[in-house]
Amino acid sequence: MSPNFHIAFRFLTAKKRAMLMSLSCTVLGVGLFIVTQATTSGFEEFFIKTILGTNGALRIDDKIQDTMRSMNAGGGSDFLVSHREGVKYIQGVEEPKRVIAGLNDFANVSGTSAVLQGNVLVRSSFKNETAQVFGINLDEHLKVSDLRSQIVQGDISTFREAPTGALMGKVLAERLQLDVGNSFILDYQGELRRYRVSAIYETGVTDIDKVRVYVHMNEARSLLKKPIGVTFIQVNLFNKDRAVEDAFQMQEVLKHSAQAWQDREKSWLSAFHALSVSSAITVSVFTLIAGLAMFNTLAMIVLEKTKDIAILRSMGYERRDITRIFLWQAAIVLAIGAIVGALIGVVGTFAVSKIPLPINGIFKTETFQVSWNGWHYVEAVLTAAIMVMAASIIPARRAARLEPGDIVRGTAQ
Amino acid sequence: MLRCSDLNRYLGQGEGRVHVLKGVSFEARRGQVYAIVGPSGCGKSTLLYLLGLLDQPDGGEIAINGQVMSNNDDAARTAARGAHIGFVFQFHFLMLEFSALENVMMPMRKLAKLTPAEMTARAHELLTSVGLGDKTHRLGTQLSGGEQQRVAVARALANEPSIILADEPTGNLDVKNSTMVFDLLTRLAKDHGQAVVLVTHNPEIANRCDSVRPMRDGLFV
């Protein structure tokens, strides 16, 4: 143990009450920072998981029309200058097989599903509701979504085996008072076709569960009168975080609009980010208080220990030793506060994850969602370290500036 | 070994500025005990703190073992204090959160010339020599005033300094303890060939020193 650390430890333990005050503020600051970040990130991650499980990581849709025009450079040469006028789109994907083949060349692509979408009227014996029919190839779609785990009534194998089967969102089924096995009619511009509910799914996203009806691709082609092409291709990725970069490359290569989940859900993600930052700022107030408490403790110790500082200086301890003695005190409080605060963060996060909190709308959950992310602990400790050490510098430097001659003479300021 | 010449020192500011030392010269040699005496405010303690490099003069120079130290930077003066000078203050100035042993080891730990075991052994030896061998683990608060001052003497000797500066070391003690502390200081200093410069108001103590230097109005008289 270095002499400076030894002295710092004794000085600190001699002021137990003040030290415990600083310590408890640090513990509270670190612990609350971790818990709030765990919950806000938890809901954000759960939202991302939900949207990836429903709409996939990427969506390839409208074809980009080549609008490049060329202009002769003049002067008798054959040189042509190209310029882009603006992007025009042709709705949908005309050649899904070619595009899927192109998508499969991307190493990060783990699955693709062609989807034919159209707006329909759903008629049950009870009432009618507008909805969107999604024509899918089930096995392909299961590779790009969590549809299997989203089934809440019935069995997905029933849908696979029934050519006129349908998967209906829970909210829509409730509105139409339909159960598994009930039949209903899809009406597309006067074309009526009867289907049977094979299973009911629930994504937790109300906007999906109240409108979306999955049918087999062939049925969708017949109903929507689209023998070729699809509305979009849903893509799943091994590394979801690379979706933006992949979307850019796919758009360049495949000449189809490609939208990553980050762009698609930008407004929600921005809201979660803002919530996370605001809660971090709010909780940082506790670490700010910890810093102020530390400042107060050290300023008090400096005032009470001026004679000890004079003794140390008379014995050959340098100004930097005095600075270190006071910074060590802050570091000791910080280290204990960080460890205990992190433990409280773990326990608090676990406890919060067990609190019942039914949410349905943007996702479905019954309890608080938490994220177990090591970076939250690092951020919490760094925030506390900045606050506590910054607050300690002033009293530490003040202690180091004291002139031993002035102290023993009794004229120290 | 310790020499100062033409020392000048002003204290205070503005109209309250006082010329405390007015060209003081002084020399101390190994194995000798010097007493600086005089009325309060004559500059005795100011001179002592300057000699101990705790303060900087406004004029003149201080040399230790032939090396001029008064104009050096703080780090050099601090290093010189740690290596060459031991202090004994009137109010002992023990660090009360530490035991007697730890107080005595404090200068040694900073100098770091000895191993921890050697430091402990030396601190034990010094405390035994001042009659506190059985109270080494007592905190400062658990010692009487006389005992605390004896610990301060042991601490001053810890790094075997060539100079011991004592500012009224017996000023806060009864006669019995005063005699004991003075005897101790002079005996240990003589045994180890150290120069002792002490400021005192006590004429009996002063008369027992090898040399007495009276001061008045910032000058030796």
Side-chain angles (χ1 to χ4, degrees):
Chain A
M1 194 189 292
S2 80
N4 294 344
F5 180 83
H6 184 215
I7 295 165
F9 187 76
R10 286 291 175 85
F11 277 4
L12 199 59
T13 49
K15 299 291 298 176
K16 283 193 182 69
R17 197 171 294 177
M19 191 268 280
L20 283 174
M21 180 70 187
S22 312
L23 184 61
S24 54
C25 287
T26 311
V27 167
L28 205 61
V30 171
L32 280 177
F33 191 100
I34 290 166
V35 173
T36 54
Q37 289 304 294
T39 50
T40 52
S41 300
F43 281 116
E44 184 180 6
E45 285 174 14
F46 193 69
F47 171 74
I48 292 168
K49 182 177 179 297
T50 303
I51 57 144
L52 289 174
T54 51
N55 290 333
L58 264 169
R59 185 176 278 198
I60 308 291
D61 47 25
D62 302 344
K63 184 178 181 182
I64 298 169
Q65 191 176 21
D66 189 3
T67 57
M68 295 288 276
R69 286 192 175 179
S70 303
M71 187 170 68
N72 196 299
S77 74
D78 294 332
F79 188 71
L80 295 171
V81 178
S82 297
H83 63 101
R84 190 177 286 277
E85 275 195 329
V87 182
K88 288 186 179 176
Y89 295 97
I90 299 169
Q91 206 172 14
V93 182
E94 287 177 339
E95 300 173 89
K97 284 187 179 173
R98 188 185 64 78
V99 174
I100 288 172
L103 285 169
N104 288 331
D105 288 339
F106 285 84
N108 197 26
V109 171
S110 63
T112 56
S113 172
V115 178
L116 182 62
Q117 181 190 342
N119 294 327
V120 295
L121 187 69
V122 188
R123 297 169 182 265
S124 74
S125 54
F126 179 70
K127 64 184 287 196
N128 300 341
E129 286 281 344
T130 54
Q132 292 175 338
V133 66
F134 277 56
I136 57 168
N137 178 321
L138 180 63
D139 291 327
E140 283 180 3
H141 206 72
L142 290 177
K143 289 179 186 168
V144 299
S145 72
D146 294 333
L147 192 55
R148 188 193 300 275
S149 61
Q150 288 162 352
I151 300 295
V152 290
Q153 282 179 47
D155 193 340
I156 203 151
S157 58
T158 311
F159 174 68
R160 180 180 280 113
E161 289 156 11
T164 57
L167 301 172
M168 186 171 281
K170 190 182 177 191
V171 177
L172 183 62
E174 283 170 356
R175 285 181 179 177
L176 296 167
Q177 294 194 351
L178 291 172
D179 281 325
V180 173
N182 294 159
S183 67
F184 62 95
I185 291 169
L186 290 182
D187 178 347
Y188 178 72
Q189 295 175 353
E191 171 81 16
L192 305 178
R193 295 178 81 93
R194 183 172 288 280
Y195 296 90
R196 192 173 293 280
V197 179
S198 301
I200 293 171
Y201 68 86
E202 184 181 23
T203 63
V205 184
T206 307
D207 285 346
I208 292 174
D209 295 343
K210 72 180 181 187
V211 295
R212 203 174 283 187
V213 180
Y214 290 102
V215 298
H216 291 289
M217 179 62 92
N218 290 340
E219 278 298 320
R221 288 198 186 287
S222 300
L223 177 69
L224 302 174
K225 299 186 183 71
K226 293 246 175 92
I228 57 161
V230 292
T231 311
F232 64 86
I233 297 167
Q234 189 162 314
V235 182
N236 204 10
L237 300 176
F238 290 111
N239 181 359
K240 313 290 192 285
D241 295 333
R242 274 190 50 197
V244 172
E245 293 84 352
D246 284 342
F248 178 77
Q249 287 185 347
M250 286 170 185
Q251 188 161 306
E252 289 294 309
V253 173
L254 303 170
K255 301 299 178 193
H256 278 74
S257 170
Q259 199 174 25
W261 61 272
Q262 294 99 322
D263 291 329
R264 201 173 61 217
E265 309 293 344
K266 190 177 269 180
S267 54
W268 275 112
L269 293 173
S270 299
F272 277 116
H273 183 65
L275 189 67
S276 175
V277 171
S278 79
S279 65
I281 291 169
T282 307
V283 172
S284 294
V285 170
F286 282 97
T287 47
L288 180 66
I289 293 169
L292 292 175
M294 196 69 237
F295 176 87
N296 187 45
T297 304
L298 291 185
M300 211 154 49
I301 293 175
V302 171
L303 283 177
E304 289 182 8
K305 297 293 178 189
T306 50
K307 285 184 179 176
D308 290 30
I309 293 166
I311 297 167
L312 290 168
R313 296 278 284 125
S314 74
M315 290 188 295
Y317 283 76
E318 297 166 42
R319 289 191 198 280
R320 64 181 176 186
D321 291 314
I322 305 299
T323 305
R324 283 174 189 166
I325 285 168
F326 282 88
L327 291 181
W328 264 124
Q329 292 176 63
I332 291 167
V333 169
L334 178 66
I336 298 171
I339 292 167
V340 178
L343 289 174
I344 284 177
V346 171
V347 174
T349 303
F350 180 75
V352 165
S353 72
K354 300 297 173 194
I355 295 174
L357 183 75
I359 294 177
N360 215 340
I362 58 166
F363 46 68
K364 180 179 170 55
T365 177
E366 297 301 327
T367 56
F368 254 89
Q369 292 298 314
V370 298
S371 166
W372 296 97
N373 188 334
W375 281 108
H376 297 154
Y377 295 78
V378 174
E379 286 167 12
V381 171
L382 277 179
T383 307
I386 290 167
M387 298 283 190
V388 170
M389 296 314 287
S392 309
I393 286 170
I394 294 172
R397 292 184 63 156
R398 181 181 154 78
R401 276 203 305 269
L402 287 171
E403 288 293 342
D406 291 342
I407 298 169
V408 289
R409 198 187 293 119
T411 57
Q413 298 295 311
Chain B
M1 181 182 57
L2 172 65
R3 179 183 55 79
C4 70
S5 57
D6 198 24
L7 279 188
N8 279 277
R9 181 71 173 116
Y10 295 85
L11 291 177
Q13 288 177 333
E15 289 182 3
R17 189 170 161 87
V18 180
H19 196 177
V20 180
L21 292 182
K22 302 169 181 171
V24 174
S25 298
F26 176 77
E27 195 171 330
R29 295 182 181 282
R30 283 183 177 275
Q32 297 290 302
V33 180
Y34 301 84
I36 300 173
V37 297
S40 294
C42 70
K44 307 185 294 293
S45 295
T46 302
L47 173 63
L48 200 75
Y49 303 146
L50 286 174
L51 293 175
L53 307 175
L54 288 174
D55 198 2
Q56 275 191 294
D58 294 309
E61 63 175 36
I62 301 160
I64 296 173
N65 296 331
Q67 195 177 353
V68 176
M69 301 299 302
S70 46
N71 299 322
N72 285 2
D73 61 17
D74 185 75
R77 286 185 292 121
T78 304
R81 272 201 303 273
H84 302 297
I85 302 169
F87 286 94
V88 181
F89 299 102
Q90 181 179 359
F91 295 102
H92 48 75
F93 281 9
L94 283 195
M95 294 175 72
L96 300 177
E97 291 84 13
F98 296 84
S99 67
L101 192 76
E102 287 169 330
N103 265 285
V104 177
M105 285 174 73
M106 205 71 79
M108 292 190 263
R109 295 191 71 179
K110 175 58 192 165
L111 201 62
K113 275 188 175 174
L114 305 175
T115 64
E118 288 169 338
M119 288 181 204
T120 308
R122 175 156 175 76
H124 266 291
E125 182 188 316
L126 284 167
L127 284 168
T128 304
S129 68
V130 298
L132 293 171
D134 56 341
K135 294 180 179 177
T136 55
H137 290 287
R138 288 205 186 173
L139 293 177
T141 48
Q142 297 166 332
L143 297 169
S144 69
E147 288 171 335
Q148 286 186 23
Q149 196 61 304
R150 281 189 274 158
V151 175
V153 170
R155 185 179 65 189
L157 296 164
N159 283 341
E160 296 182 308
S162 46
I163 307 147
I164 293 172
L165 303 174
D167 186 10
E168 302 203 36
T170 61
N172 206 31
L173 302 176
D174 56 29
V175 176
K176 184 183 163 195
N177 274 307
S178 290
T179 309
M180 185 189 292
V181 167
F182 179 77
D183 289 346
L184 198 63
L185 199 57
T186 50
R187 177 172 58 80
L188 292 173
K190 296 249 179 197
D191 288 351
H192 297 95
Q194 288 151 326
V196 178
V197 181
L198 60 90
V199 164
T200 183
H201 277 112
N202 186 331
E204 288 177 17
I205 295 283
N207 289 334
R208 291 178 60 196
C209 294
D210 299 318
S211 171
V212 181
R213 300 293 306 272
M215 273 187 87
R216 184 170 297 159
D217 294 333
L219 285 168
F220 282 123
V221 289

